[in-house]
Amino acid sequence: MSASDPVANLQDLIRCPSVTPAEGGALTALESMLIPLGFKVERMVATEPGMPDIENLYARLGTDGPHLMFAGHTDVVPPGDEASWSHPPFAAEIVGDELFGRGAVDMKGGIACFVAAMARHIEKHGAPKGSISFLITGDEEGPAVNGTEKLLKWAAENGERWDACLVGEPTNPDQLGDMIKIGRRGSISGKVTVFGVQGHAAYPHLADNPVRGLLPLASALMDPPFDTGTPEFPASNLEVTSVDVGNSATNVIPAKAGFAFNIRFNDTWTADTVKAEIVRRLDLAAAESPLRPGRDPARYEIVWAERPSHVFLTRNNALIASLSSAVEKVTGRTPQLSTTGGTSDARFIKDYCPVVEFGLVGQTMHMVDERVALADLEMLTQIYGTFISRWFDNALL
Ligand SMILES: [Zn+2]
């Protein structure tokens, strides 16, 4: 068994129904592809009180540096209503020139291609001079508490060190070769509650309406813009995502009113400085907006959501150039280097080594009839293979 065919690899993986938090056989299937290639495979179970245990996998080939890591996840989002799929979500049916199934692009396809690229590399050149490892979690689509973050920590405590990492998440909006991600924006969420005094709507002088304070506070967070963007990042942006009073009576002034927000911020900020700016704006708006003329400033409280996502930008030129030139060689297209989109597990990996992301076309991810073109699987395998050769050539210079 050689694992050099990405289509067969992907079919094996899709047929394991590994909806978070279930392992579903997916890591076992991956393990049985990697062991014949010479990888030493370890299965690490992460636990957290009140949460399901999660199986993760770490596999390494070689003992010396330089050390390249491939990272990703075998868990998938639920298929939703299976009856609305044209082909069953865990059957991995090939129809025409496409392969259907949950995880086809996000991101069992990326794993299948990287395994195939490794197998071909070993067949042709033998194992790379250095080490290559797979860091694969079963908890990316879920809470991501028992996933990549803990797996990295566990591996580092066992002495693992990496020089670079490629994450195989789908990064291309339309066509293979569109986009490499070289960073991600940070993300922070919070809830603001404005306090007033409850009372009769007909006797407002006896009450203090918190809704009058909520409006200027929410506006102060949305305008003016936090910044105008940087060469590598779009402008930071805050959206108020919910406004909640919870008052069913029309003749009662409520005691409190709240709103929730999320900000996506660029490297003009850190999580701490962006939080400080949010508080500064709220304090200013509260001071300027008493709930009624002549009254005290609005009283408010802010509660931050746990665990902000930190912003990062990879500046390792050898890593970016190896990947970018591999994409160009195989697709004939120059990929855009981007920091757009949501967060990914790269936010944890960046604390250990430079990280870039490149995978399949994301158009059908998380949708009914998720599917991938067979030609894309072959091309991505060639891109990963070229990248592996070029990265090691570079690192060994
Ligand atoms: Zn994913």
Side-chain angles (χ1 to χ4, degrees):
M1 193 208 98
S2 84
S4 61
D5 177 9
V7 177
N9 293 350
L10 180 54
Q11 286 183 305
D12 283 355
L13 291 172
I14 287 179
R15 286 176 184 146
C16 304
S18 50
V19 176
T20 331
E23 185 271 333
L27 293 177
T28 301
L30 177 60
E31 183 171 354
S32 62
M33 294 171 204
L34 293 177
I35 286 177
L37 296 175
F39 280 83
K40 178 174 168 258
V41 181
E42 293 174 90
R43 299 277 284 271
M44 179 267 194
V45 178
T47 60
E48 182 80 20
M51 287 188 163
D53 291 356
I54 299 278
E55 286 204 54
N56 299 287
L57 179 147
Y58 184 70
R60 178 168 178 170
L61 177 68
T63 50
D64 300 330
H67 188 175
L68 176 66
M69 182 211 302
F70 175 82
H73 62 92
T74 49
D75 62 322
V76 294
V77 295
D81 177 18
E82 297 200 22
S84 47
W85 284 66
S86 315
H87 307 280
F90 301 109
E93 283 178 20
I94 295 172
V95 184
D97 53 8
E98 293 180 312
L99 199 171
F100 283 73
R102 176 57 84 223
V105 294
D106 185 11
M107 61 156 276
K108 288 175 171 175
I111 295 173
C113 292
F114 203 86
V115 171
M118 267 320 297
R120 292 178 190 182
H121 186 96
I122 292 168
E123 276 164 26
K124 213 170 155 191
H125 311 286
K129 287 189 183 60
S131 295
I132 198 148
S133 56
F134 283 76
L135 189 128
I136 307 293
T137 178
D139 186 18
E140 198 275 340
E141 301 287 10
V145 166
N146 281 321
T148 297
E149 193 176 17
K150 285 190 178 171
L151 186 55
L152 283 163
K153 194 163 176 275
W154 168 85
E157 280 167 6
N158 291 334
E160 293 296 299
R161 298 290 179 271
W162 307 275
D163 297 298
C165 174
L166 170 66
V167 175
E169 290 279 8
T171 51
N172 298 286
D174 298 310
Q175 249 188 297
L176 207 65
D178 283 341
M179 189 178 284
I180 293 173
K181 301 238 166 145
I182 58 163
R184 294 277 186 160
R185 290 178 295 175
S187 171
I188 293 180
S189 299
K191 279 187 177 154
V192 174
T193 304
V194 181
F195 300 98
V197 175
Q198 187 178 321
H200 197 302
Y203 302 88
H205 55 287
L206 299 176
D208 242 343
N209 189 351
V211 177
R212 289 177 180 271
L214 181 148
L215 298 172
L217 264 63
S219 299
L221 293 192
M222 290 190 285
D223 284 305
F226 280 66
D227 55 65
T228 53
T230 68
E232 293 91 0
F233 282 95
S236 302
N237 182 59
L238 185 145
E239 292 295 326
V240 169
T241 51
S242 182
V243 173
D244 310 283
V245 181
N247 181 13
S248 55
T250 54
N251 60 351
V252 176
I253 290 170
K256 58 185 182 180
F259 67 91
F261 66 87
N262 173 262
I263 183 165
R264 302 291 163 135
F265 59 96
N266 63 37
D267 62 350
T268 308
W269 309 89
T270 65
D272 286 337
T273 61
V274 84
K275 277 183 175 181
E277 170 64 10
I278 287 168
V279 170
R280 189 191 70 79
R281 289 180 178 217
L282 291 173
D283 284 345
L284 196 66
E288 285 172 354
S289 2
L291 301 184
R292 298 196 75 78
R295 301 263 177 104
D296 289 340
R299 274 190 313 116
Y300 81 92
E301 169 189 278
I302 184 164
V303 177
W304 302 102
E306 275 176 60
R307 302 206 310 156
S309 290
H310 296 279
V311 56
F312 76 93
L313 177 68
T314 296
R315 296 185 190 273
N316 186 300
N317 290 330
L319 173 61
I320 296 168
S322 304
L323 182 56
S324 185
S325 70
V327 172
E328 247 181 280
K329 184 184 173 221
V330 176
T331 66
R333 314 176 65 222
T334 307
Q336 189 194 338
L337 305 179
S338 169
T339 57
T340 55
T343 63
S344 82
D345 276 357
R347 72 187 192 269
F348 303 123
I349 298 166
K350 67 110 170 51
D351 293 336
Y352 296 85
C353 65
V355 53
V356 290
E357 300 172 71
F358 185 77
L360 288 161
V361 176
Q363 262 171 10
T364 60
M365 58 186 174
H366 295 204
M367 290 169 70
V368 162
D369 281 346
E370 181 173 348
R371 61 193 180 277
V372 61
L374 301 182
D376 280 4
L377 293 173
E378 177 55 33
M379 269 206 284
L380 184 61
T381 301
Q382 291 182 22
I383 291 169
Y384 283 164
T386 308
F387 166 69
I388 292 167
S389 297
R390 290 189 177 180
W391 187 82
F392 278 100
D393 283 353
N394 242 315
L396 288 163
L397 272 183

